[in-house]
Amino acid sequence: MHLTFSAYYTLIFAALVLLLGKWLVQHLRLLREFNIPEPVAGGLVAAVALFVLNQTLGYTFSFSSELQMAFMLVFFSSIGLSANFAKLREGGRSLLLFLAVVAVFIGLQDLVGVSLATMLGLDPLFGLIAGSVTLTGGHGTAGAWGQVFEREYGIQGAVTLGIACATFGLVIGGLIGGPLAKALITRRRLAVHDPAAAPEKQPPLGESASHGGFENPEQTRLITTSAAIETLALFAGCLGFAEFMAQFTAGTLFSLPAFVWALAGGVVIRNTLDYVFHFQVFDRAIDVFGNASLSIYLAMALLSLKLWELAGLAAPLMVILAAQTLVMGLYAALVTFRIMGSNYDAAVLAAGHCGFGMGATPTAVANMQAITNQYGPSHKAFLIVPMVGAFFVDIVNATVIQLFIRWLH
C-alpha cells in the first residue's frame, strides 16, 4: 500500500519528528554529549520506523517536497543575512588566516573523497558527498546538495547518504577535537590549569561579538511583531533574488544551485542595508527564523529517507569516512595549529576546526568549551570560529564544490 501526504500533513509529521527529537535529546545523555541535533535524532528514528513498516507490511510513503525547498532556502538566506562585513574587520588578520587554512582543507577533503571513491569503483560524486558537502557543510548543505545530485546527476539516495555522512561527522568531530587539543596543550605545556579562570571569564555563548545565534539555537531571543514582518520581507527578497539568478544563469558558467544564490542574496541585502541605507537589521529574528527553518527542513528530509538505498554503499562509505577522520586530525595538528601560532589559542582553534570540519559550528563551540573550561579562556578562538564556521565557510565550500563538479563533469 502506498500512502501520499500533502504539504500540510508533511508539516504536521515534521513537527512531530522535532518534538520526538527534543524528547530524545533531553533524555539520552549520549545524544547531548555528541551534540546530535534534535531533527536528526527524531528524524532517524522516524526513518527507521518507516523502514520497518515497509519491510514488514509493505507500506510505502511519499511526503510532499513543496515546503521543504522553501525552508531550505530560508535557512541559507539567514546565513547570508547574518553576515555583516564589520565582523570581518573585527577578526582582523587572524580571521583571514584561519579562513585560508580552512579553505585549503576543504579542497583537500574533497580531493581525498573523490580519489577514494574512484579507487573503490564509485561515481566520484560520492566522494564529494562523503567530503566537504556533508562533513564541512553539515546537514543543511548535505540535504541541499543531495537534491542537486539526485535531480541533475542521477545519484540515487544522495540525500540519504548525505544525512548519514553528516551525522557521522557530528559524532566524530566531537570525539577528536577535544583530545587533540588537550594533547597539544599538554605536550607543549601551553597552559596551566586554572579552575577559576575558565567558566566565569569565558564570554557567554551567543553574546560574544563573533556571531549571532547559530552556535546557540536554544538561546532565548525577544522578537517584536514589526521585527518579524521586516525579517520576513528580507527573506522574501533573498528568495526572489535566488529564483531570478538561478534562472538567469542557467546553462552559463555562473550557474549555481538556488540555495547558493539565496545565501549570496542575503549577503548583498544585509550589507547594502547596513552601509548604504544605515538600516539596523534585527539579528535575533534572523537567527530564530533561520534555526527554525533548518530544523523543519531536516525533519522533512529525514522523513523521506529510504534507508535500503544505503545497503550497497556501507563498506566503501566507511573506508572514505575513516580516511577523512584521519586527514582531519593530522591537518588540525600539523597545519591549523602551526599556522595559527602554535600557542594556546591555536590549540583551541584546532579543536574548533575539528568540530566544524567534520560536523558543525555547535560541535566546534562544544569542543572549544571543553578545553577552555579546563585550561582557561580563549577569546580569540571564540571570536574567530563561530564567524568562520557559521558563515564564511559556506561560501568557500560552495565554491570548491562547484569547481570539483565542473572538473568531474
Side-chain angles (χ1 to χ4, degrees):
M1 179 182 292
H2 182 76
L3 300 176
T4 302
F5 298 97
S6 68
Y8 299 119
Y9 286 104
T10 300
L11 183 59
I12 292 172
F13 279 113
L16 293 175
V17 164
L18 293 176
L19 292 174
L20 172 62
K22 182 177 182 179
W23 184 88
L24 289 171
V25 171
Q26 287 178 343
H27 289 83
L28 296 179
R29 181 180 176 183
L30 184 65
L31 298 179
R32 294 195 302 274
E33 287 183 348
F34 289 119
N35 301 286
I36 301 300
E38 293 173 1
V40 174
L44 289 177
V45 171
V48 170
L50 294 177
F51 174 75
V52 171
L53 288 174
N54 175 265
Q55 296 296 300
T56 58
L57 302 177
Y59 285 101
T60 58
F61 305 87
S62 293
F63 294 93
S64 172
S65 60
E66 292 179 46
L67 294 177
Q68 186 175 330
M69 177 64 75
F71 281 116
M72 179 188 71
L73 292 178
V74 169
F75 165 65
F76 281 98
S77 298
S78 70
I79 296 176
L81 289 170
S82 299
N84 186 336
F85 288 149
K87 297 173 184 176
L88 178 61
R89 292 197 301 269
E90 186 179 355
R93 177 180 175 276
S94 294
L95 187 147
L96 294 176
L97 185 60
F98 186 66
L99 181 59
V101 169
V102 170
V104 172
F105 175 74
I106 290 173
L108 177 62
Q109 197 171 56
D110 283 335
L111 185 61
V112 169
V114 168
S115 300
L116 287 176
T118 303
M119 291 172 57
L120 295 169
L122 300 176
D123 188 313
L125 291 179
F126 279 105
L128 289 183
I129 296 172
S132 73
V133 169
T134 60
L135 301 180
T136 295
H139 287 86
T141 305
W145 278 105
Q147 291 185 358
V148 173
F149 289 142
E150 289 183 350
R151 184 176 61 252
E152 298 183 13
Y153 300 99
I155 305 296
Q156 296 302 315
V159 173
T160 305
L161 183 66
I163 296 297
C165 291
T167 302
F168 172 89
L170 272 178
V171 175
I172 294 299
L175 281 175
I176 66 175
L180 183 144
K182 289 180 181 179
L184 291 172
I185 292 170
T186 302
R187 184 180 304 122
R188 295 178 176 250
R189 300 179 181 178
L190 300 177
V192 178
H193 177 66
D194 182 4
E200 60 270 24
K201 289 187 179 181
Q202 180 61 52
L205 188 60
E207 295 181 10
S208 69
S210 61
H211 197 266
F214 292 108
E215 68 270 26
N216 188 21
E218 296 303 316
Q219 180 185 355
T220 300
R221 302 179 182 87
L222 302 179
I223 300 175
T224 64
T225 301
S226 60
I229 294 173
E230 290 172 359
T231 303
L232 285 174
L234 295 178
F235 282 121
C238 293
L239 268 59
F241 177 82
E243 182 180 32
F244 172 79
M245 291 302 297
Q247 293 176 356
F248 183 74
T249 61
T252 70
L253 184 64
F254 300 98
S255 178
L256 295 169
F259 72 89
V260 178
W261 287 120
L263 190 154
V267 176
V268 172
I269 291 174
R270 169 61 187 264
N271 289 280
T272 299
L273 291 175
D274 279 348
Y275 297 107
V276 177
F277 297 99
H278 304 290
F279 177 83
Q280 186 174 3
V281 176
F282 201 72
D283 284 308
R284 293 199 299 270
I286 292 172
D287 292 340
V288 170
F289 279 106
N291 283 302
S293 295
L294 176 61
S295 294
I296 297 172
Y297 163 70
L298 288 176
M300 290 180 172
L302 287 161
L303 278 171
S304 302
L305 288 184
K306 296 178 176 61
L307 295 178
W308 53 89
E309 294 179 355
L310 286 176
L313 295 171
L317 180 64
M318 290 310 299
V319 171
I320 297 174
L321 292 177
Q324 295 285 25
T325 303
L326 179 62
V327 170
M328 177 75 260
L330 290 174
Y331 190 91
L334 301 177
V335 180
T336 305
F337 174 69
R338 292 183 180 181
I339 290 182
M340 295 310 297
S342 299
N343 52 24
Y344 175 67
D345 286 327
V348 180
L349 284 168
H353 191 189
C354 288
F356 72 76
M358 290 294 291
T361 303
T363 308
V365 174
N367 284 351
M368 295 191 301
Q369 282 185 320
I371 299 301
T372 57
N373 286 340
Q374 181 175 358
Y375 295 104
S378 173
H379 302 304
K380 179 179 180 180
F382 272 86
L383 170 68
I384 292 174
V385 168
M387 267 196 291
V388 173
F391 167 66
F392 292 109
V393 73
D394 287 289
I395 295 179
V396 176
N397 195 23
T399 303
V400 173
I401 292 169
Q402 195 73 20
L403 290 173
F404 266 89
I405 289 176
R406 288 176 178 169
W407 173 47
L408 296 172
H409 286 264

